[in-house]
Amino acid sequence: MTNIEQTRFFTLTFLAASLTLPAMAQLHKPTLTEFDAPGAATVSSPACANAGCGTTAFANNAEGVVVGFYTDTNVVPHAFLRTPEGHITSFDAPGAGLGYGLNQGTVAYSINDLGVIAGQFEDSSNVYHGFVRFPNGSFATFDAPGAGTGVNQGTEALSINPEGATTGVYSDGNSVLHGFARSPRGEITSFDPPGSTYTYPCEETCLSPDGTITGFYLDANNTYHGFVREPGGRITEIDAPGAGTGNYLGTIAASINVEGTIPGYFVDPNGVAHGFVRTRSGEFTTFDAPGASGIGTAAFSINLFGAVTGEFFDANNVMHGFSRLARGVFAEFDAPDAGTGAFQGTRPSTNNAEEAVAGWYVDANNLNHGFVWKP
């Protein structure tokens, strides 16, 4: 498993979804719409390492457009765009490989409110490259300076802001991960927090309108720390109160909004995850979703008004989703067709200004399907 794949597995093991607002606070009943991209695989495959085949929704914008990827019957990833009306368009980046298995293909990670999409593709030599796709269907593809050109090395664009700037990660010739910031004009700057052995700007909503980036890194003791990188390059470490300092414990920063508020999760010394929200001034609020047990609670995305979405696990390590308003009120939700086995269930990814949540669920056969939840 590559470093990039290990990071995805680490973040994907914190899944969830279940939203229930108090009855008097609801103007109407919440809805959850399940969907699959046309051509998506209908059975899982060992190549997907259990969950991973099928349709995975990564991000939604203020207009309700959803992007992500699906795997076809040959386990090749293709990106998709889903309109609020449910129309789905599949696309492949120029140069994307289409060979059997997960080592090639196209993945869309992030979309801004103008409909510009950022993501990555893997070519026929199994090398990653970043891309930006514009609403007219044209592409800009790019590689970070210093990116490796070996198998499972290269560049991935993970987040895009309203200005068209992107951030992401690249793997160098030694397969070490570094962060990058790319301006709308295409200028790329590499960065690593001091002491980092492994830098990962987080996915989907981790680049604010002013160019501030958040994410996490691994130190020499294999402890995770969050970080904030300001547009001028200054980097501040983030450690949530109560975070463990042992092997693969610590703090994961997962999103940032226009106010500079950052949600995420930390893993305590007992290996249990807890959600947090950190203000621009550095004040933390930590929380656990009602019903959380097992390996805990993880926050993944924050919207303009401070609403947070994420997942929690129950005592059987089944994933459930939640939405938490800025004032601390929780709603919980589950996709009707989600599986009920360990590491199956509902996994929110991002929430927009209307508090609509996009994500995916894992069914009883370990196949992924997209969903949109509306409060």
Side-chain angles (χ1 to χ4, degrees):
M1 183 180 287
T2 67
N3 284 334
I4 292 173
E5 291 166 340
Q6 287 173 339
T7 295
R8 290 208 185 104
F9 177 78
F10 183 82
T11 57
L12 289 178
T13 55
F14 291 94
L15 315 173
S18 276
L19 292 176
T20 46
L21 290 171
M24 292 188 66
Q26 296 186 38
L27 298 178
H28 55 82
K29 185 177 180 180
T31 61
L32 190 147
T33 302
E34 302 176 351
F35 67 89
D36 290 295
T42 57
V43 295
S44 192
S45 165
C48 299
N50 295 319
C53 288
T55 300
T56 304
F58 276 132
N60 60 341
N61 68 7
E63 303 301 317
V65 179
V66 177
V67 297
F69 81 99
Y70 68 94
T71 57
D72 64 21
T73 54
N74 291 319
V75 202
V76 177
H78 307 273
F80 73 81
L81 177 155
R82 181 185 186 271
T83 68
E85 298 75 31
H87 177 71
I88 296 177
T89 300
S90 171
F91 63 89
D92 296 300
L98 298 174
Y100 177 87
L102 284 176
N103 287 328
Q104 297 178 19
T106 304
V107 175
Y109 280 115
S110 183
I111 182 169
N112 68 18
D113 291 343
L114 299 177
V116 185
I117 299 167
Q120 58 89 355
F121 67 94
E122 233 176 331
D123 65 24
S124 58
S125 298
N126 300 333
V127 178
Y128 290 99
H129 309 273
F131 75 79
V132 173
R133 180 187 186 270
F134 301 98
N136 64 3
S138 64
F139 284 81
T141 63
F142 60 89
D143 296 292
T149 57
V151 172
N152 294 324
Q153 296 175 354
T155 304
E156 300 190 59
L158 302 177
S159 291
I160 188 165
N161 73 5
E163 305 301 318
T166 57
T167 188
V169 64
Y170 70 91
S171 175
D172 65 22
N174 295 313
S175 296
V176 177
L177 297 187
H178 310 270
F180 73 83
R182 181 180 184 269
S183 75
R185 297 179 299 277
E187 301 157 333
I188 297 177
T189 302
S190 172
F191 67 87
D192 289 289
S196 174
T197 63
Y198 174 103
T199 301
Y200 203 89
C202 54
E203 298 168 2
E204 295 112 19
T205 56
C206 294
L207 178 60
S208 74
D210 71 357
T212 302
I213 299 168
T214 194
F216 56 92
Y217 72 93
L218 198 64
D219 68 18
N221 296 314
N222 290 329
T223 297
Y224 285 99
H225 307 271
F227 71 82
V228 180
R229 180 187 184 272
E230 298 172 11
R234 181 173 179 267
I235 296 176
T236 301
E237 181 180 298
I238 298 174
D239 291 303
T245 57
N247 219 28
Y248 300 107
L249 305 177
T251 302
I252 303 292
S255 181
I256 187 169
N257 70 6
V258 67
E259 299 295 328
T261 305
I262 296 171
Y265 58 97
F266 66 94
V267 183
D268 69 21
N270 296 314
V272 177
H274 310 271
F276 73 79
V277 175
R278 177 189 183 271
T279 65
R280 184 189 292 270
S281 61
E283 299 172 350
F284 280 87
T285 299
T286 62
F287 61 86
D288 295 294
S293 185
I295 58 176
T297 300
F300 294 135
S301 178
I302 188 167
N303 74 2
L304 174 66
F305 303 106
V308 172
T309 192
E311 66 179 349
F312 69 92
F313 287 84
D314 64 24
N316 296 313
N317 282 330
V318 178
M319 303 181 295
H320 307 273
F322 72 83
S323 177
R324 178 186 183 272
L325 300 181
R327 64 180 184 272
V329 177
F330 279 86
E332 302 174 356
F333 61 88
D334 289 293
D337 293 314
T340 57
F343 303 103
Q344 296 174 349
T346 306
R347 202 284 197 185
S349 187
T350 63
N351 59 342
N352 66 13
E354 302 297 321
E355 297 176 38
V357 176
W360 66 95
Y361 69 91
V362 183
D363 70 18
N365 296 312
N366 292 317
L367 190 69
N368 286 3
H369 309 267
F371 75 82
V372 175
W373 177 87
K374 295 181 180 181

